[in-house]
PDB file of all heavy atoms in Angstrom:
ATOM      1  N   TYR A   8      25.700  11.270 -16.337  1.00 96.00           N
ATOM      2  CA  TYR A   8      24.608  11.743 -17.187  1.00 96.00           C
ATOM      3  C   TYR A   8      25.138  12.503 -18.408  1.00 96.00           C
ATOM      4  O   TYR A   8      24.532  12.471 -19.485  1.00 96.00           O
ATOM      5  CB  TYR A   8      23.652  12.622 -16.380  1.00 96.00           C
ATOM      6  CG  TYR A   8      22.539  11.842 -15.711  1.00 96.00           C
ATOM      7  CD1 TYR A   8      22.828  10.742 -14.902  1.00 96.00           C
ATOM      8  CD2 TYR A   8      21.215  12.198 -15.894  1.00 96.00           C
ATOM      9  CE1 TYR A   8      21.820  10.021 -14.296  1.00 96.00           C
ATOM     10  CE2 TYR A   8      20.186  11.474 -15.291  1.00 96.00           C
ATOM     11  CZ  TYR A   8      20.492  10.387 -14.489  1.00 96.00           C
ATOM     12  OH  TYR A   8      19.489   9.665 -13.896  1.00 96.00           O
ATOM     13  N   THR A   9      26.259  13.195 -18.250  1.00 96.00           N
ATOM     14  CA  THR A   9      26.866  13.884 -19.389  1.00 96.00           C
ATOM     15  C   THR A   9      27.354  12.871 -20.419  1.00 96.00           C
ATOM     16  O   THR A   9      27.191  13.080 -21.633  1.00 96.00           O
ATOM     17  CB  THR A   9      28.036  14.770 -18.921  1.00 96.00           C
ATOM     18  OG1 THR A   9      27.550  15.738 -17.981  1.00 96.00           O
ATOM     19  CG2 THR A   9      28.683  15.485 -20.096  1.00 96.00           C
ATOM     20  N   PHE A  10      27.921  11.776 -19.951  1.00 96.00           N
ATOM     21  CA  PHE A  10      28.358  10.719 -20.869  1.00 96.00           C
ATOM     22  C   PHE A  10      27.154  10.082 -21.561  1.00 96.00           C
ATOM     23  O   PHE A  10      27.193   9.796 -22.767  1.00 96.00           O
ATOM     24  CB  PHE A  10      29.162   9.656 -20.113  1.00 96.00           C
ATOM     25  CG  PHE A  10      29.720   8.586 -20.998  1.00 96.00           C
ATOM     26  CD1 PHE A  10      30.606   8.894 -22.027  1.00 96.00           C
ATOM     27  CD2 PHE A  10      29.352   7.260 -20.827  1.00 96.00           C
ATOM     28  CE1 PHE A  10      31.115   7.903 -22.854  1.00 96.00           C
ATOM     29  CE2 PHE A  10      29.850   6.272 -21.653  1.00 96.00           C
ATOM     30  CZ  PHE A  10      30.743   6.595 -22.663  1.00 96.00           C
ATOM     31  N   TYR A  11      26.072   9.854 -20.806  1.00 96.00           N
ATOM     32  CA  TYR A  11      24.839   9.346 -21.408  1.00 96.00           C
ATOM     33  C   TYR A  11      24.334  10.311 -22.488  1.00 96.00           C
ATOM     34  O   TYR A  11      23.947   9.887 -23.588  1.00 96.00           O
ATOM     35  CB  TYR A  11      23.745   9.180 -20.345  1.00 96.00           C
ATOM     36  CG  TYR A  11      23.896   7.979 -19.436  1.00 96.00           C
ATOM     37  CD1 TYR A  11      23.140   7.883 -18.265  1.00 96.00           C
ATOM     38  CD2 TYR A  11      24.770   6.949 -19.732  1.00 96.00           C
ATOM     39  CE1 TYR A  11      23.253   6.779 -17.421  1.00 96.00           C
ATOM     40  CE2 TYR A  11      24.897   5.847 -18.894  1.00 96.00           C
ATOM     41  CZ  TYR A  11      24.139   5.770 -17.743  1.00 96.00           C
ATOM     42  OH  TYR A  11      24.253   4.681 -16.917  1.00 96.00           O
ATOM     43  N   SER A  12      24.331  11.589 -22.181  1.00 96.00           N
ATOM     44  CA  SER A  12      23.827  12.594 -23.113  1.00 96.00           C
ATOM     45  C   SER A  12      24.673  12.641 -24.383  1.00 96.00           C
ATOM     46  O   SER A  12      24.148  12.718 -25.506  1.00 96.00           O
ATOM     47  CB  SER A  12      23.825  13.978 -22.448  1.00 96.00           C
ATOM     48  OG  SER A  12      23.036  13.968 -21.274  1.00 96.00           O
ATOM     49  N   PHE A  13      25.984  12.603 -24.200  1.00 96.00           N
ATOM     50  CA  PHE A  13      26.894  12.585 -25.349  1.00 96.00           C
ATOM     51  C   PHE A  13      26.647  11.357 -26.215  1.00 96.00           C
ATOM     52  O   PHE A  13      26.635  11.439 -27.450  1.00 96.00           O
ATOM     53  CB  PHE A  13      28.339  12.614 -24.837  1.00 96.00           C
ATOM     54  CG  PHE A  13      29.374  12.551 -25.925  1.00 96.00           C
ATOM     55  CD1 PHE A  13      29.617  13.663 -26.726  1.00 96.00           C
ATOM     56  CD2 PHE A  13      30.095  11.385 -26.143  1.00 96.00           C
ATOM     57  CE1 PHE A  13      30.580  13.608 -27.738  1.00 96.00           C
ATOM     58  CE2 PHE A  13      31.055  11.320 -27.147  1.00 96.00           C
ATOM     59  CZ  PHE A  13      31.296  12.434 -27.946  1.00 96.00           C
ATOM     60  N   SER A  14      26.398  10.220 -25.569  1.00 97.00           N
ATOM     61  CA  SER A  14      26.130   8.976 -26.297  1.00 97.00           C
ATOM     62  C   SER A  14      24.829   9.060 -27.087  1.00 97.00           C
ATOM     63  O   SER A  14      24.718   8.512 -28.196  1.00 97.00           O
ATOM     64  CB  SER A  14      26.078   7.796 -25.322  1.00 97.00           C
ATOM     65  OG  SER A  14      27.293   7.659 -24.618  1.00 97.00           O
ATOM     66  N   LEU A  15      23.825   9.736 -26.509  1.00 95.00           N
ATOM     67  CA  LEU A  15      22.538   9.899 -27.188  1.00 95.00           C
ATOM     68  C   LEU A  15      22.701  10.638 -28.518  1.00 95.00           C
ATOM     69  O   LEU A  15      22.107  10.256 -29.533  1.00 95.00           O
ATOM     70  CB  LEU A  15      21.558  10.670 -26.300  1.00 95.00           C
ATOM     71  CG  LEU A  15      20.819   9.883 -25.223  1.00 95.00           C
ATOM     72  CD1 LEU A  15      19.957  10.819 -24.395  1.00 95.00           C
ATOM     73  CD2 LEU A  15      19.957   8.813 -25.841  1.00 95.00           C
ATOM     74  N   ILE A  16      23.485  11.691 -28.500  1.00 94.00           N
ATOM     75  CA  ILE A  16      23.701  12.460 -29.731  1.00 94.00           C
ATOM     76  C   ILE A  16      24.552  11.667 -30.712  1.00 94.00           C
ATOM     77  O   ILE A  16      24.267  11.628 -31.921  1.00 94.00           O
ATOM     78  CB  ILE A  16      24.366  13.812 -29.409  1.00 94.00           C
ATOM     79  CG1 ILE A  16      23.470  14.643 -28.482  1.00 94.00           C
ATOM     80  CG2 ILE A  16      24.669  14.578 -30.692  1.00 94.00           C
ATOM     81  CD1 ILE A  16      22.113  14.965 -29.057  1.00 94.00           C
ATOM     82  N   CYS A  17      25.586  10.992 -30.211  1.00 95.00           N
ATOM     83  CA  CYS A  17      26.472  10.205 -31.079  1.00 95.00           C
ATOM     84  C   CYS A  17      25.714   9.091 -31.797  1.00 95.00           C
ATOM     85  O   CYS A  17      26.071   8.714 -32.926  1.00 95.00           O
ATOM     86  CB  CYS A  17      27.612   9.599 -30.265  1.00 95.00           C
ATOM     87  SG  CYS A  17      28.851  10.798 -29.734  1.00 95.00           S
ATOM     88  N   GLU A  18      24.675   8.566 -31.153  1.00 95.00           N
ATOM     89  CA  GLU A  18      23.909   7.466 -31.738  1.00 95.00           C
ATOM     90  C   GLU A  18      23.389   7.811 -33.133  1.00 95.00           C
ATOM     91  O   GLU A  18      23.282   6.938 -33.995  1.00 95.00           O
ATOM     92  CB  GLU A  18      22.756   7.094 -30.817  1.00 95.00           C
ATOM     93  CG  GLU A  18      21.960   5.877 -31.269  1.00 95.00           C
ATOM     94  CD  GLU A  18      20.835   5.526 -30.319  1.00 95.00           C
ATOM     95  OE1 GLU A  18      20.319   6.447 -29.646  1.00 95.00           O
ATOM     96  OE2 GLU A  18      20.463   4.343 -30.248  1.00 95.00           O
ATOM     97  N   ASN A  19      23.094   9.078 -33.377  1.00 92.00           N
ATOM     98  CA  ASN A  19      22.538   9.501 -34.659  1.00 92.00           C
ATOM     99  C   ASN A  19      23.568   9.513 -35.787  1.00 92.00           C
ATOM    100  O   ASN A  19      23.198   9.557 -36.960  1.00 92.00           O
ATOM    101  CB  ASN A  19      21.937  10.903 -34.529  1.00 92.00           C
ATOM    102  CG  ASN A  19      20.651  10.908 -33.730  1.00 92.00           C
ATOM    103  OD1 ASN A  19      20.643  10.507 -32.564  1.00 92.00           O
ATOM    104  ND2 ASN A  19      19.562  11.348 -34.329  1.00 92.00           N
ATOM    105  N   PHE A  20      24.840   9.456 -35.433  1.00 93.00           N
ATOM    106  CA  PHE A  20      25.875   9.615 -36.445  1.00 93.00           C
ATOM    107  C   PHE A  20      26.806   8.404 -36.567  1.00 93.00           C
ATOM    108  O   PHE A  20      27.720   8.418 -37.386  1.00 93.00           O
ATOM    109  CB  PHE A  20      26.713  10.866 -36.132  1.00 93.00           C
ATOM    110  CG  PHE A  20      25.894  12.113 -36.010  1.00 93.00           C
ATOM    111  CD1 PHE A  20      25.528  12.596 -34.758  1.00 93.00           C
ATOM    112  CD2 PHE A  20      25.468  12.794 -37.133  1.00 93.00           C
ATOM    113  CE1 PHE A  20      24.773  13.752 -34.632  1.00 93.00           C
ATOM    114  CE2 PHE A  20      24.700  13.952 -37.019  1.00 93.00           C
ATOM    115  CZ  PHE A  20      24.356  14.423 -35.773  1.00 93.00           C
ATOM    116  N   LEU A  21      26.563   7.368 -35.767  1.00 94.00           N
ATOM    117  CA  LEU A  21      27.422   6.192 -35.788  1.00 94.00           C
ATOM    118  C   LEU A  21      26.836   5.080 -36.642  1.00 94.00           C
ATOM    119  O   LEU A  21      25.620   5.010 -36.841  1.00 94.00           O
ATOM    120  CB  LEU A  21      27.634   5.671 -34.359  1.00 94.00           C
ATOM    121  CG  LEU A  21      28.369   6.589 -33.376  1.00 94.00           C
ATOM    122  CD1 LEU A  21      28.376   5.963 -31.982  1.00 94.00           C
ATOM    123  CD2 LEU A  21      29.793   6.859 -33.847  1.00 94.00           C
ATOM    124  N   SER A  22      27.705   4.212 -37.133  1.00 94.00           N
ATOM    125  CA  SER A  22      27.255   3.029 -37.852  1.00 94.00           C
ATOM    126  C   SER A  22      26.633   2.041 -36.868  1.00 94.00           C
ATOM    127  O   SER A  22      26.790   2.183 -35.648  1.00 94.00           O
ATOM    128  CB  SER A  22      28.439   2.365 -38.557  1.00 94.00           C
ATOM    129  OG  SER A  22      29.373   1.881 -37.590  1.00 94.00           O
ATOM    130  N   TYR A  23      25.927   1.053 -37.383  1.00 92.00           N
ATOM    131  CA  TYR A  23      25.276   0.062 -36.517  1.00 92.00           C
ATOM    132  C   TYR A  23      26.291  -0.618 -35.604  1.00 92.00           C
ATOM    133  O   TYR A  23      26.044  -0.774 -34.394  1.00 92.00           O
ATOM    134  CB  TYR A  23      24.553  -0.988 -37.363  1.00 92.00           C
ATOM    135  CG  TYR A  23      23.963  -2.118 -36.541  1.00 92.00           C
ATOM    136  CD1 TYR A  23      22.748  -1.960 -35.875  1.00 92.00           C
ATOM    137  CD2 TYR A  23      24.649  -3.334 -36.395  1.00 92.00           C
ATOM    138  CE1 TYR A  23      22.214  -2.981 -35.108  1.00 92.00           C
ATOM    139  CE2 TYR A  23      24.122  -4.361 -35.619  1.00 92.00           C
ATOM    140  CZ  TYR A  23      22.910  -4.178 -34.988  1.00 92.00           C
ATOM    141  OH  TYR A  23      22.388  -5.196 -34.216  1.00 92.00           O
ATOM    142  N   LYS A  24      27.431  -1.003 -36.159  1.00 94.00           N
ATOM    143  CA  LYS A  24      28.451  -1.698 -35.370  1.00 94.00           C
ATOM    144  C   LYS A  24      28.973  -0.819 -34.242  1.00 94.00           C
ATOM    145  O   LYS A  24      29.125  -1.266 -33.103  1.00 94.00           O
ATOM    146  CB  LYS A  24      29.607  -2.132 -36.281  1.00 94.00           C
ATOM    147  CG  LYS A  24      30.695  -2.898 -35.554  1.00 94.00           C
ATOM    148  CD  LYS A  24      31.798  -3.329 -36.499  1.00 94.00           C
ATOM    149  CE  LYS A  24      32.899  -4.093 -35.755  1.00 94.00           C
ATOM    150  NZ  LYS A  24      33.993  -4.520 -36.673  1.00 94.00           N
ATOM    151  N   ASN A  25      29.241   0.441 -34.552  1.00 96.00           N
ATOM    152  CA  ASN A  25      29.759   1.355 -33.524  1.00 96.00           C
ATOM    153  C   ASN A  25      28.703   1.681 -32.471  1.00 96.00           C
ATOM    154  O   ASN A  25      29.034   1.889 -31.297  1.00 96.00           O
ATOM    155  CB  ASN A  25      30.276   2.633 -34.170  1.00 96.00           C
ATOM    156  CG  ASN A  25      31.582   2.416 -34.915  1.00 96.00           C
ATOM    157  OD1 ASN A  25      32.370   1.536 -34.565  1.00 96.00           O
ATOM    158  ND2 ASN A  25      31.822   3.199 -35.965  1.00 96.00           N
ATOM    159  N   ARG A  26      27.423   1.732 -32.888  1.00 96.00           N
ATOM    160  CA  ARG A  26      26.352   1.938 -31.909  1.00 96.00           C
ATOM    161  C   ARG A  26      26.280   0.769 -30.932  1.00 96.00           C
ATOM    162  O   ARG A  26      26.083   0.958 -29.729  1.00 96.00           O
ATOM    163  CB  ARG A  26      25.001   2.117 -32.614  1.00 96.00           C
ATOM    164  CG  ARG A  26      24.850   3.425 -33.355  1.00 96.00           C
ATOM    165  CD  ARG A  26      23.388   3.749 -33.650  1.00 96.00           C
ATOM    166  NE  ARG A  26      22.740   2.710 -34.427  1.00 96.00           N
ATOM    167  CZ  ARG A  26      22.697   2.676 -35.757  1.00 96.00           C
ATOM    168  NH1 ARG A  26      23.298   3.637 -36.464  1.00 96.00           N
ATOM    169  NH2 ARG A  26      22.048   1.716 -36.389  1.00 96.00           N
ATOM    170  N   GLU A  27      26.438  -0.450 -31.456  1.00 95.00           N
ATOM    171  CA  GLU A  27      26.433  -1.634 -30.600  1.00 95.00           C
ATOM    172  C   GLU A  27      27.615  -1.622 -29.643  1.00 95.00           C
ATOM    173  O   GLU A  27      27.476  -1.982 -28.462  1.00 95.00           O
ATOM    174  CB  GLU A  27      26.455  -2.908 -31.459  1.00 95.00           C
ATOM    175  CG  GLU A  27      25.158  -3.182 -32.203  1.00 95.00           C
ATOM    176  CD  GLU A  27      24.008  -3.471 -31.269  1.00 95.00           C
ATOM    177  OE1 GLU A  27      24.168  -4.334 -30.381  1.00 95.00           O
ATOM    178  OE2 GLU A  27      22.945  -2.835 -31.408  1.00 95.00           O
ATOM    179  N   ASN A  28      28.769  -1.220 -30.120  1.00 97.00           N
ATOM    180  CA  ASN A  28      29.962  -1.147 -29.260  1.00 97.00           C
ATOM    181  C   ASN A  28      29.788  -0.087 -28.180  1.00 97.00           C
ATOM    182  O   ASN A  28      30.190  -0.283 -27.024  1.00 97.00           O
ATOM    183  CB  ASN A  28      31.201  -0.852 -30.093  1.00 97.00           C
ATOM    184  CG  ASN A  28      31.622  -2.021 -30.963  1.00 97.00           C
ATOM    185  OD1 ASN A  28      31.345  -3.188 -30.634  1.00 97.00           O
ATOM    186  ND2 ASN A  28      32.274  -1.746 -32.084  1.00 97.00           N
ATOM    187  N   LEU A  29      29.190   1.038 -28.551  1.00 97.00           N
ATOM    188  CA  LEU A  29      28.942   2.095 -27.568  1.00 97.00           C
ATOM    189  C   LEU A  29      27.945   1.618 -26.510  1.00 97.00           C
ATOM    190  O   LEU A  29      28.112   1.911 -25.314  1.00 97.00           O
ATOM    191  CB  LEU A  29      28.415   3.348 -28.265  1.00 97.00           C
ATOM    192  CG  LEU A  29      28.091   4.555 -27.359  1.00 97.00           C
ATOM    193  CD1 LEU A  29      29.301   4.955 -26.524  1.00 97.00           C
ATOM    194  CD2 LEU A  29      27.591   5.732 -28.192  1.00 97.00           C
TER     195      LEU A  29
END
Side-chain angles (χ1 to χ4, degrees):
Y8 271 53
T9 300
F10 184 60
Y11 284 166
S12 302
F13 178 74
S14 301
L15 278 177
I16 299 300
C17 287
E18 185 179 28
N19 288 59
F20 304 99
L21 296 175
S22 65
Y23 175 80
K24 182 179 180 180
N25 287 332
R26 289 198 302 270
E27 289 295 309
N28 289 333
L29 180 56

